[in-house]
Amino acid sequence: MKKIWTFVMFLTLLAACQESLEDKCEREAKDYTRRNCPMKMDNNSILDSLVFERSTHTIHYYYTLTGFADQDSILEKVNAVEVLRDEVKNSTALRIYKENKFRVAYTYRSQKDPKKIRMEVVFTEKDY
C-alpha cells in the first residue's frame, strides 16, 4: 500500500510540473489580480486587473486614470505609448513571454467616465 501511495504522489508531482506556459500565465495573472488589485500605482493611475487572454496570447493590463491624468490628450503629451514600449522592451519579468511572442496590452479608462477609454495599445514581438 505504501508503494502505491508513493507512486500516486510521484505521478501527481510529475503532472504538476507539466503546466504549460499559457496555464502558468493565466494562473499568475489571476493570482496577481486577486492579491494586489486594485493597486494605486501613483497619484494618477490605478491598476485594476491583469488578465491573460489565451486566444490571442495577450497579457493585458487594465488601468484607471485619476486626477490630472484623467483628461483629454494628456497621454499623448507625455508620449505614453513610447514610455510603455520601453517598459515592455526592458522588462525582465516579461522575458519568458516575450521569448514566446506573447502580446502585451494596456487599457487606460477614465475614472470620471469609466466607459471612456483614454488609451489602448497592444505591443507585439515586432515592438519589443
Side-chain angles (χ1 to χ4, degrees):
M1 183 68 173
K2 187 175 180 181
K3 287 183 180 181
I4 292 173
W5 177 251
T6 304
F7 182 70
V8 169
M9 289 304 294
F10 174 74
L11 287 178
T12 303
L13 288 172
L14 187 62
C17 295
Q18 300 301 318
E19 181 179 42
S20 71
L21 184 58
E22 290 85 1
D23 291 340
K24 176 184 176 189
C25 189
E26 185 172 38
R27 178 182 49 77
E28 288 179 349
K30 285 179 183 176
D31 288 346
Y32 186 87
T33 298
R34 181 179 43 79
R35 285 185 314 221
N36 300 300
C37 295
M39 178 182 5
K40 188 171 183 171
M41 302 302 290
D42 54 37
N43 289 337
N44 299 302
S45 63
I46 299 167
L47 176 61
D48 297 314
S49 65
L50 174 59
V51 176
F52 175 62
E53 298 164 359
R54 188 179 286 265
S55 63
T56 58
H57 285 98
T58 303
I59 300 166
H60 202 140
Y61 296 87
Y62 290 92
Y63 288 88
T64 297
L65 293 174
T66 64
F68 178 75
D70 191 7
Q71 50 183 305
D72 293 332
S73 72
I74 195 71
L75 294 174
E76 292 84 19
K77 288 180 185 176
V78 298
N79 206 8
V81 173
E82 289 304 316
V83 170
L84 288 172
R85 181 178 288 122
D86 288 343
E87 284 186 22
V88 171
K89 280 182 182 180
N90 297 320
S91 173
T92 57
L94 294 173
R95 184 180 55 84
I96 188 73
Y97 303 113
K98 293 187 299 185
E99 288 173 355
N100 285 278
K101 300 178 172 107
F102 281 32
R103 299 162 25 130
V104 181
Y106 295 88
T107 300
Y108 288 86
R109 292 189 179 275
S110 167
Q111 183 181 44
K112 292 181 245 178
D113 181 7
K115 292 181 182 179
K116 185 172 188 174
I117 295 176
R118 293 275 183 204
M119 184 177 78
E120 193 160 42
V121 62
V122 178
F123 298 111
T124 64
E125 65 180 300
K126 67 181 178 192
D127 298 310
Y128 53 77

